[in-house]
Amino acid sequence: MRTRTTLLQAHTHQFLGTFGGAGNGDYREELQRAIQVMSTYATTHKLLPSQILVRLDGLYGNAAVLTDALDTGLGLIGRSRDYALLDLAEVQAVLARPPVEICTHPQSGAARALYDCPDIPLSAGGARVRLIVASHPATSTSASIGKKRDGMVYELFVTRLAAPAFSAKDVLDLYLHRGSFETVLADEDIEQDPDRWCSHTPCGQEFWQILSQWVWNLRLEIGQRFSPAAMRTTEFAPAFETESAPPVPVSEPVSASEPAAVLVYGPPQWAQRSFTGGFPGAAFPLQPDGNLLCPANHPLSPQERRAERDGSYRLLYAARIGDCRSCRLRTSCLESMDTKKPRRVSAVFWPISSNQVLSSASVLAPPASTPCGPVLWGDWPRCHIRRTWLKVVRSERVVMTMGAPPTENQTEGTNVPVITRAKRAHWRLSWQERLARNARPVTARPLTVTIHGLPDTFTHVYGFALLEAA
């Protein structure tokens, strides 16, 4: 028995890799190999790792496995099976409040109440993620997925997609959508049967699976060349409508004759250069999405807000540990070279009165709200491309013409090879010897293959000779 881990590219429905294993397989090692493929893909196409979104199911729901994926800086949506996270004080505080959204599945009608926990540690001192808790009432039948507590079933989803760009419902919908993964596997099983046992050795069986996926990718590529189709763009979720928050009144009492003052914060006061000579806070400019950008072009996201004296507060930003470990500027940025913690930057915001806001021209105006757009999903029409290619294949006609046998003058100089018993018994034959033995002899009659029905695009791409129709 062998299992396999497959890596599918969602927008083209092509496979990026398959990794086989004996028995139940080593899913963690296979995930590491898949992460290497995705990292190479990002480098080849000049993409940031955070621009690649990886969906992992519950098999990879342990904290240690999720940390392996998070340390690479890849975007992630995954299901967690570490239900001890429900006992954290931060999670319990969120569950005590009303849910942020009620999500109803359009087909099954199942309703889930969603709770958004923005900054939760996967383990003590480990990576911090955004945790989405989905709950629904328990039924008489035991739930196959989730944890049952006090008549409710809880499901956990982890991600690093920022809010409010991706709401809790967007995260859940992206996970449940699966990128048509199951439909691709179903079509592959019907059309190619890649899981057929066709070899007595593990390497032969894995080669068969690699070959099957290569043929699948080739069919999609050829179909796209025959009938070029534009990528379909679907509005996966509408744009998030932001509402301007009203100003917060100052807690100090004011007289009835005086206008009520509002609490407005001035520009951020950044931390100075550390004693080790690292970059100061001013070297991390603020971006329109609310994150900071370090000198090595890595993002720092807000992690914690702390109340300070006199009504001020400190906003703490942190980078990703994977970015810091591979950064070329780490010696000029981090206090310790062991990279146990990522780079952190803090800014203090001091309140100012409304009169100061009106009279002082040096105070920065509050930043304008970032325009939000819909979540768009783009992909190729998977079935149409493959079916068009199959129609072309079925409309072809192949003519095989056997030429005249060679004359004696053409074959008289040919030496008859003499082989040893070891070669005849296939003992230690090299690939060159095998190919030479299976090669078509020069004494054979020439064979011409003419294929009717191939499009001109196909013949030009692969360099076939094109004959004019009679």
Side-chain angles (χ1 to χ4, degrees):
M1 178 180 177
R2 289 180 62 81
T3 58
R4 63 169 177 153
T5 297
T6 56
L7 180 61
L8 181 74
Q9 184 173 245
H11 64 279
T12 64
H13 308 288
Q14 292 178 314
F15 290 101
L16 297 183
T18 177
F19 313 101
N24 293 329
D26 187 352
Y27 71 95
R28 190 170 180 179
E29 175 63 26
E30 293 166 4
L31 177 61
Q32 290 288 353
R33 296 172 63 187
I35 290 176
Q36 293 177 2
V37 173
M38 288 181 281
S39 300
T40 304
Y41 181 92
T43 303
T44 303
H45 294 277
K46 297 179 174 59
L47 298 173
L48 294 175
S50 58
Q51 293 178 289
I52 297 179
L53 183 60
V54 184
R55 178 197 174 272
L56 299 176
D57 58 22
L59 176 65
Y60 310 94
N62 293 334
V65 182
L66 291 173
T67 302
D68 291 341
L70 292 170
D71 286 347
T72 61
L74 295 170
L76 173 68
I77 295 181
R79 184 188 289 273
S80 174
R81 54 182 180 180
D82 186 5
Y83 296 102
L85 296 174
L86 292 171
D87 300 326
L88 296 178
E90 304 96 316
V91 178
Q92 287 295 322
V94 174
L95 295 178
R97 297 194 293 265
V100 294
E101 286 181 277
I102 302 294
C103 178
T104 303
H105 195 275
Q107 296 178 349
S108 63
R112 292 181 175 92
L114 304 182
Y115 300 86
D116 198 343
C117 308
D119 188 26
I120 301 299
L122 281 178
S123 59
R128 307 185 74 88
V129 295
R130 181 184 176 193
L131 178 67
I132 307 297
V133 182
S135 66
H136 61 87
T139 60
S140 57
T141 58
S142 60
S144 58
I145 300 177
K147 183 71 171 180
K148 182 179 178 181
R149 287 188 178 183
D150 300 329
M152 300 294 292
V153 177
Y154 295 93
E155 301 175 63
L156 305 181
F157 302 90
V158 297
T159 185
R160 271 189 171 164
L161 295 178
F166 293 88
S167 65
K169 183 178 183 301
D170 295 341
V171 174
L172 183 64
D173 289 343
L174 284 172
Y175 178 85
L176 297 178
H177 181 63
R178 299 184 179 90
S180 299
F181 188 47
E182 280 80 0
T183 56
V184 171
L185 293 178
D187 292 344
E188 185 197 28
D189 288 341
I190 295 174
E191 298 174 11
Q192 298 183 178
D193 195 10
D195 299 325
R196 178 192 309 162
W197 193 267
C198 60
S199 175
H200 293 285
T201 62
C203 58
Q205 190 64 25
E206 188 161 0
F207 175 76
W208 163 249
Q209 293 175 351
I210 294 173
L211 181 63
S212 297
Q213 291 193 352
W214 181 83
V215 172
W216 173 275
N217 293 348
L218 183 64
R219 290 170 58 194
L220 286 174
E221 187 69 28
I222 295 177
Q224 175 68 7
R225 291 182 180 272
F226 283 167
S227 56
M231 183 169 289
R232 302 176 301 185
T233 302
T234 306
E235 186 182 81
F236 198 84
F240 180 77
E241 298 181 0
T242 58
E243 298 179 359
S244 57
V248 181
V250 176
S251 57
E252 298 179 358
V254 295
S255 62
S257 59
E258 296 179 357
V262 295
L263 186 60
V264 180
Y265 291 96
Q269 304 295 324
W270 298 102
Q272 301 299 320
R273 185 182 296 271
S274 64
F275 67 92
T276 57
F279 293 115
F284 298 79
L286 185 63
Q287 302 301 304
D289 59 357
N291 295 333
L292 303 183
L293 190 66
C294 76
N297 294 327
H298 295 306
L300 282 78
S301 57
Q303 299 290 329
E304 185 179 357
R305 175 170 172 164
R306 301 174 182 172
E308 299 278 335
R309 65 183 187 279
D310 299 332
S312 64
Y313 72 90
R314 182 181 298 273
L315 190 58
L316 189 64
Y317 298 84
R320 294 175 179 172
I321 188 65
D323 293 339
C324 293
R325 286 174 177 170
S326 59
C327 182
R328 66 183 186 278
L329 302 178
R330 55 186 295 187
T331 57
S332 304
C333 186
L334 298 177
E335 298 179 358
S336 176
M337 290 301 98
D338 54 9
T339 322
K340 292 183 178 180
K341 294 182 180 180
R343 176 60 195 265
R344 307 178 80 179
V345 177
S346 63
V348 179
F349 294 81
W350 290 89
I352 57 177
S353 65
S354 58
N355 294 330
Q356 291 175 324
V357 173
L358 296 176
S359 60
S360 176
S362 62
V363 176
L364 295 177
S369 59
T370 304
C372 296
V375 178
L376 300 180
W377 181 279
D379 62 346
W380 279 357
R382 182 190 78 257
C383 298
H384 170 72
I385 292 177
R386 289 196 337 277
R387 290 168 183 170
T388 301
W389 161 240
L390 290 177
K391 289 180 181 179
V392 173
V393 173
R394 289 168 183 157
S395 63
E396 294 172 358
R397 181 168 61 92
V398 180
V399 177
M400 304 178 67
T401 305
M402 190 69 70
T407 62
E408 295 182 358
N409 295 333
Q410 294 174 334
T411 60
E412 62 183 1
T414 305
N415 296 326
V416 178
V418 178
I419 62 175
T420 64
R421 292 185 60 192
K423 292 183 178 180
R424 179 175 178 177
H426 298 190
W427 292 346
R428 302 181 183 275
L429 287 181
S430 64
W431 280 108
Q432 289 74 17
E433 292 173 332
R434 291 176 184 270
L435 293 175
R437 190 192 64 173
N438 296 330
R440 185 178 176 86
V442 296
T443 57
R445 301 170 62 183
L447 180 65
T448 303
V449 179
T450 304
I451 304 177
H452 299 268
L454 282 179
D456 295 344
T457 307
F458 183 86
T459 58
H460 290 311
V461 168
Y462 292 94
F464 295 156
L466 185 62
L467 302 177
E468 297 292 338

